[in-house]
Amino acid sequence: MTAIVNVEAYWFTVVGYWVIIAIAVMVEFVARRRPEFIAPLFDMLDHVMHTRMARIGLIAAWWWFGWHFFVGPTL
Amino acid sequence: MSTADSVPRIRWTRRELLWLGVLSIMAVFQLWRGAWIDGGIFVALLAVLVADTLSGGRIALVRRPVMLRRTTIVMSAAVVAALLIVAPRHGIVVMVTMVMVGVAVAILAWPATPDRDRRPDRAYARSSTLFSLVGALFCLWEAFAYILSNTLPGFDDAFPTISVLLDPVVGDTAGRTFFVIVWVVAGLALIRVRGVRGSQ
């Protein structure tokens, strides 16, 4: 019984990630069709990264993601 | 001139405070889960950014902004990608490579860059709000997965985090090749957005 619940919880969690990714893709899709209403992702990043805090924060987040998987004990 | 006149007046914008909040949450979460190095990285980052803001943005990593040709950056990125794919994962070569990448991108991204507005302000506001909400939702989903899998007895593998899902992929040579290419291209895209002021 626990094994079945575990499998269901596993796929529920995985599907949750995909749903969130799908929402991001949909937002970007709408943004590219109507960029004057919603700025596309990289246009928005270009604007936001004007401040040093955002610029360094975003690039540090990207760098840490690589560090986490290549260098650190991931799990 | 009084002391009050000589001290730059610091104004914390809402955007800066939000970024500090996000980075603080990352630092606390990493320290809470016992990832001391990861937590330390975010604490150090917070300290540098707060010090820079308090100094009125006067901290300079290098005397003059570094100008690199686009071809130099792309070739360097290709070497980095090759090292990350070929060298043993978690090894010293990969660690040194990642530290060098960190220093290089910090130097490239640190200097102030001009704003290049191309869209209406409201379009930027909608976009940043929507993508921030999606990003926050993703982080919350992963945090709940981590907390549930670590607190519910017998449910260790039931709520996988992104690390759990991607670790086997990165452990495999083909998977790591794909992952490295995606990661390097994302980095180049981020640096392209702000960091590179090359001639080509």
Side-chain angles (χ1 to χ4, degrees):
Chain A
M1 182 65 183
T2 307
I4 294 170
V5 173
N6 272 359
V7 169
E8 288 176 351
Y10 180 93
W11 285 111
F12 179 73
T13 309
V14 172
V15 168
Y17 290 124
W18 280 112
V19 167
I20 297 167
I21 291 168
I23 293 171
V25 171
M26 280 170 56
V27 172
E28 179 65 8
F29 179 76
V30 174
R32 285 180 183 240
R33 285 179 69 95
R34 297 186 61 192
E36 305 303 310
F37 183 69
I38 301 173
L41 179 62
F42 271 90
D43 283 5
M44 182 271 287
L45 290 178
D46 194 23
H47 175 72
V48 168
M49 288 170 82
H50 173 60
T51 65
R52 178 171 289 159
M53 186 83 75
R55 192 165 64 246
I56 298 297
L58 273 167
I59 287 177
W62 161 80
W63 178 85
W64 172 79
F65 197 71
W67 174 273
H68 179 63
F69 281 99
F70 303 136
V71 181
T74 311
L75 302 179
Chain B
M1 191 163 71
S2 69
T3 311
D5 291 336
S6 62
V7 176
R9 195 172 170 187
I10 307 303
R11 251 192 213 167
W12 295 90
T13 64
R14 192 180 62 168
R15 189 177 287 172
E16 285 173 334
L17 291 173
L18 277 171
W19 270 104
L20 286 182
V22 169
L23 293 171
S24 301
I25 290 169
M26 283 297 290
V28 169
F29 186 75
Q30 297 301 332
L31 293 172
W32 173 73
R33 77 181 186 97
W36 303 108
I37 295 176
D38 299 47
I41 289 169
F42 282 102
V43 169
L45 183 66
L46 269 169
V48 171
L49 289 174
V50 168
D52 181 62
T53 306
L54 290 176
S55 73
R58 291 179 183 170
I59 294 178
L61 297 185
V62 287
R63 285 187 181 177
R64 287 164 48 183
V66 176
M67 308 278 278
L68 291 177
R69 286 179 183 276
R70 207 170 288 273
T71 48
T72 307
I73 291 188
V74 171
M75 286 178 68
S76 305
V79 172
V80 165
L83 284 170
L84 292 177
I85 291 167
V86 173
R89 196 177 163 207
H90 309 303
I92 189 75
V93 174
V94 169
M95 181 189 283
V96 171
T97 304
M98 286 301 296
V99 170
M100 288 174 71
V101 168
V103 172
V105 293
I107 289 172
L108 281 173
W110 190 265
T113 50
D115 208 351
R116 295 179 298 213
D117 284 346
R118 291 193 297 168
R119 311 289 183 198
D121 284 347
R122 292 179 74 93
Y124 285 126
R126 285 190 198 97
S127 178
S128 57
T129 302
L130 286 169
F131 281 110
S132 298
L133 284 173
V134 172
L137 187 61
F138 196 89
C139 292
L140 276 175
W141 191 256
E142 207 208 2
F144 278 125
Y146 181 83
I147 291 166
L148 289 175
S149 62
N150 281 277
T151 52
L152 293 178
F155 283 81
D156 300 2
D157 305 320
F159 303 99
T161 60
I162 292 297
S163 299
V164 169
L165 292 171
L166 290 184
D167 189 65
V169 177
V170 184
D172 172 71
T173 306
R176 183 156 72 241
T177 304
F178 176 76
F179 188 88
V180 165
I181 290 170
V182 170
W183 182 77
V184 167
V185 168
L188 284 173
L190 278 178
I191 290 173
R192 177 196 69 80
V193 169
R194 275 297 165 193
V196 179
R197 285 164 290 283
S199 55
Q200 288 296 316

